[in-house]
Amino acid sequence: MTNINEKVCPSTEETDGISKISTKKITLMILFSIFISAKAENGDNIKVFWSSELLPESPLWYTKPPDSSEIKYKLDRQQDLHWSKISRSSDIRIIIDPEIQYQSVLGIGTSLEATSLYAIRKGRSETEIRKILELLLDPQHGLGFNLFRITIGTSDFSDGRSVSDHPKGFYTYQDNAEDEFSIQADKETGIIAMLKLTQDVAANMDPPQQIKFFAVPWSPPAWMKTSGKLIGGTLKKGYEKQLAKYLRYFVEAYALEGIPIHAVCVQNEPNYLPRDYPGMKLTVKQQLELTIATYEEFHDTRDGKSELFTKIWLNDHNFEYWVNADYILSKLKKSGKGHYVSGTAFHNYSDYSATEMSILYEKHPESEIVFTEHSEWGTAGMFNIQQYFWNWSRSYMYWVTMTTHDLDEHNQGPYNVLGELSPTLLIEKESNPVQWYVTPEFYLIGQFSKFIRPGAYRIACDQGSIDEVTFVAFKNTDGIIVLVGVNQTDEQKIFELIIAGKGTTASLPAKCVGTYIWMHK
């Protein structure tokens, strides 16, 4: 884009009295410059942004973090590219077709579980907290996150010792059968206040940002379980309705606080039984029964109850468990209850491939796919995010946004020591706890979240190769095309972008993610 001050305005020497360049000529030049700038913003140019990896997943980000200057590219804008005739200037040719559309994007975001919320607010004024939240939410000056995972009760990243008798501070909202349901613990630990503040920051941006929360329990109250504890066991037979009511009470209690819940999963990772943090293992038939009970409880309007329109997502576990979701969806449809479930949520903690999501989608295309938990590091992690979207996911969710320097300060789960917890997006400084720094993943994930906006559609695009560069493309609701490329190799890659009979030659440095955006008319 032409810089008027650099290209048009005469030097000081020329402006003694009347410039050698006539006022009329200067005016014409400025108008021409503004016209060229407007054309560039309207899509004649391609904006380019790069971010690079550095020590991905290394514990050094906690013990001896590199200086920020060592991260070579940090969402840095590069020189614009220009469309021209197709030149066949590279063996790597990426063809984009905006007319072929796939799934829409629900959102990209992260978790606001207890550990992250504590670290964000620790020792800070409300103004300082808002600055961090703005950095997460603002698509102009931050990451543009719009989707947030919260917990129903405590999880493996929490510490409720100030409000719970449990030695590690684990709690639910009805620890004993005779107790009244209450989210008071979430109020006393500051969780509710922080979520409200997040909403307020989003609402007061220009323009206001629309955000969504979805929620998941790690364990129901112990009295509903065979183990009699938050750790271990399964749901007692016949307790599906009690747990469904518990989930209703949660949604209603949060709604009274002004925090709507977009969706719930009935159990976090229901196919795994943790040994040292809250959890519960469920058979696929139990998952089906609990799903039915939850939907029917949410939509029960007897005795003056209000109907809840919070969505229900299945699974919330690894790719291989698509077979469980398939079983449940098939059973529901066969019994005329296919509408009970909105979609299936996935994590990535096994050796199975994201292509398993496509298998499920092909069998049940009416049901959405969402990706709800896995942190990613370096360019290899960004390639994973591409794969999630290639395979029909409407979302990507990072897990654990920020930690204190002492990893166990507000985390009583097992992942609170070096080697167990990998670097989060934001980390508290050891020398000054009120200060904090970001890891390279902050910028790398921003290459997606900052530019791909809610409601965008994934569009047809050559995926490339991991030996060269891989790509995924989207079209935002305003017509902007967003192409994200990932170069996992040790060499710069040159490639040609082709769309609607025109092309351009682009490059991407080694171990970098590049985002290329333009208006498609």
Side-chain angles (χ1 to χ4, degrees):
M1 183 186 300
T2 303
N3 184 316
I4 294 176
N5 291 325
E6 292 177 357
K7 302 295 183 181
V8 177
C9 293
S11 65
T12 305
E13 290 79 5
E14 295 174 319
T15 53
D16 290 334
I18 301 296
S19 168
K20 295 178 182 177
I21 304 177
S22 71
T23 301
K24 182 177 180 181
K25 188 172 183 179
I26 291 174
T27 302
L28 289 172
M29 291 175 70
I30 290 174
L31 290 173
F32 177 76
S33 177
I34 292 172
F35 171 73
I36 293 297
S37 298
K39 285 193 68 178
E41 293 300 328
N42 284 334
D44 283 3
N45 288 3
I46 305 162
K47 297 178 184 177
V48 182
F49 300 83
W50 289 346
S51 292
S52 53
E53 70 171 40
L54 178 64
L55 299 172
E57 209 169 352
S58 171
L60 286 175
W61 287 103
Y62 287 115
T63 59
K64 193 177 180 181
D67 188 81
S68 175
S69 62
E70 295 184 44
I71 307 173
K72 189 170 183 179
Y73 300 110
K74 296 173 283 191
L75 276 168
D76 294 327
R77 186 170 177 181
Q78 307 301 309
Q79 185 173 356
D80 288 3
L81 301 176
H82 306 276
W83 294 111
S84 61
K85 293 181 179 180
I86 299 173
S87 63
R88 299 185 182 275
S89 57
S90 171
D91 292 334
I92 307 173
R93 307 183 78 216
I94 306 302
I95 300 174
I96 303 116
D97 187 350
E99 303 308 312
I100 301 177
Q101 298 186 344
Y102 303 101
Q103 78 274 23
S104 64
V105 174
L106 176 64
I108 299 174
T110 187
S111 63
L112 290 178
E113 77 323 310
T115 293
S116 290
L117 292 176
Y118 173 87
I120 291 171
R121 74 175 184 272
K122 179 188 169 187
R124 296 182 177 88
S125 66
E126 182 178 315
T127 299
E128 292 167 330
I129 296 170
R130 282 178 176 272
K131 287 180 180 178
I132 295 178
L133 294 175
E134 287 169 0
L135 203 61
L136 296 175
L137 295 164
D138 188 353
Q140 298 299 318
H141 307 291
L143 296 183
F145 284 166
N146 75 297
L147 191 59
F148 297 95
R149 188 173 201 231
I150 63 176
T151 67
I152 301 176
T154 48
S155 70
D156 51 342
F157 282 85
S158 58
D159 185 349
R161 288 176 294 177
S162 64
V163 294
S164 170
D165 293 332
H166 190 282
K168 288 186 174 293
F170 300 145
Y171 66 81
T172 67
Y173 305 122
Q174 195 176 12
D175 286 339
N176 300 294
E178 64 275 10
D179 292 343
E180 292 286 335
F181 181 96
S182 173
I183 60 169
Q184 184 62 29
D186 284 1
K187 295 179 180 179
E188 293 181 20
T189 54
I191 292 172
I192 296 293
M194 282 293 291
L195 296 181
K196 285 183 175 181
L197 187 57
T198 303
Q199 291 177 304
D200 189 65
V201 169
N204 283 284
M205 287 184 174
D206 186 17
Q209 299 300 303
Q210 301 297 318
I211 63 173
K212 290 181 170 65
F213 297 107
F214 74 94
V216 191
W218 265 242
S219 174
W223 54 272
M224 296 187 188
K225 299 174 66 180
T226 57
S227 64
K229 300 176 181 179
L230 297 185
I231 299 173
T234 188
L235 189 65
K236 289 180 181 178
K237 187 173 179 59
Y239 274 67
E240 291 81 14
K241 289 185 178 180
Q242 285 91 330
L243 181 49
K245 287 181 180 178
Y246 177 85
L247 295 175
R248 169 191 268 275
Y249 294 153
F250 166 79
V251 173
E252 290 177 333
Y254 265 58
L256 286 174
E257 295 296 328
I259 305 171
I261 304 299
H262 175 74
V264 297
C265 299
V266 297
Q267 174 61 39
N268 173 70
E269 300 186 346
N271 309 287
Y272 174 65
L273 194 62
R275 293 181 297 177
D276 42 14
Y277 62 87
M280 179 172 71
K281 192 170 184 178
L282 299 171
T283 67
V284 65
K285 289 185 178 180
Q286 285 178 300
Q287 294 176 50
L288 172 60
E289 292 167 356
L290 182 54
T291 297
I292 292 172
T294 302
Y295 179 88
E296 292 181 349
E297 177 60 46
F298 281 11
H299 294 270
D300 182 1
T301 57
R302 294 175 297 178
D303 302 323
K305 290 191 291 187
S306 298
E307 188 172 14
L308 304 182
F309 294 97
T310 297
K311 294 184 176 184
I312 298 174
W313 290 336
L314 299 174
N315 191 49
D316 204 38
H317 208 175
N318 295 334
F319 298 134
E320 64 266 34
Y321 298 116
W322 74 267
V323 295
N324 290 352
D326 176 40
Y327 173 87
I328 294 170
L329 290 169
S330 297
K331 286 287 187 181
L332 289 174
K333 284 194 282 190
K334 189 174 181 179
S335 61
K337 299 175 179 177
H339 59 287
Y340 277 28
V341 167
S342 296
T344 303
F346 286 95
H347 299 179
N348 182 14
Y349 296 107
S350 70
D351 294 331
Y352 284 78
S353 167
T355 57
E356 309 286 343
M357 295 192 296
S358 284
I359 299 173
L360 181 66
Y361 179 82
E362 288 164 7
K363 291 172 72 71
H364 305 279
E366 76 289 346
S367 186
E368 65 184 343
I369 302 290
V370 286
F371 189 89
T372 51
E373 182 187 315
H374 194 250
S375 299
E376 303 293 352
W377 295 275
T379 52
M382 302 309 109
F383 172 64
N384 284 344
I385 296 176
Q386 288 181 320
Q387 291 187 87
Y388 306 149
F389 286 117
W390 288 343
N391 289 284
W392 296 98
S393 177
R394 299 189 64 213
S395 63
Y396 166 69
M397 300 296 300
Y398 193 87
W399 176 237
V400 186
T401 307
M402 184 175 184
T403 57
T404 52
H405 184 269
D406 294 330
L407 301 182
D408 63 349
E409 182 176 338
H410 196 83
N411 180 4
Q412 291 300 298
Y415 309 113
N416 62 358
V417 293
L418 285 176
E420 291 294 335
L421 178 60
S422 295
T424 54
L425 297 177
L426 290 73
I427 301 175
E428 174 191 85
K429 273 192 176 182
E430 181 180 18
S431 58
N432 186 344
V434 177
Q435 296 181 351
W436 47 276
Y437 55 94
V438 302
T439 58
E441 283 63 40
F442 176 91
Y443 304 109
L444 291 170
I445 292 172
Q447 297 279 159
F448 295 85
S449 61
K450 187 178 181 70
F451 306 105
I452 303 166
R453 304 311 303 151
Y457 277 88
R458 180 170 66 92
I459 58 176
C461 168
D462 290 332
Q463 294 178 0
S465 164
I466 58 173
D467 296 327
E468 301 288 352
V469 188
T470 50
F471 293 91
V472 65
F474 300 84
K475 184 177 181 180
N476 286 332
T477 56
D478 60 1
I480 294 288
I481 301 293
V482 180
L483 178 73
V484 183
V486 177
N487 180 4
Q488 299 183 65
T489 76
D490 295 322
E491 300 176 347
Q492 174 179 275
K493 296 297 178 180
I494 308 295
F495 49 91
E496 187 172 15
L497 304 180
I498 300 171
I499 182 172
K502 59 186 179 182
T504 189
T505 301
S507 66
L508 186 57
K511 301 294 184 182
C512 279
V513 177
T515 303
Y516 308 82
I517 65 172
W518 65 92
M519 175 65 75
H520 181 70
K521 298 178 181 179

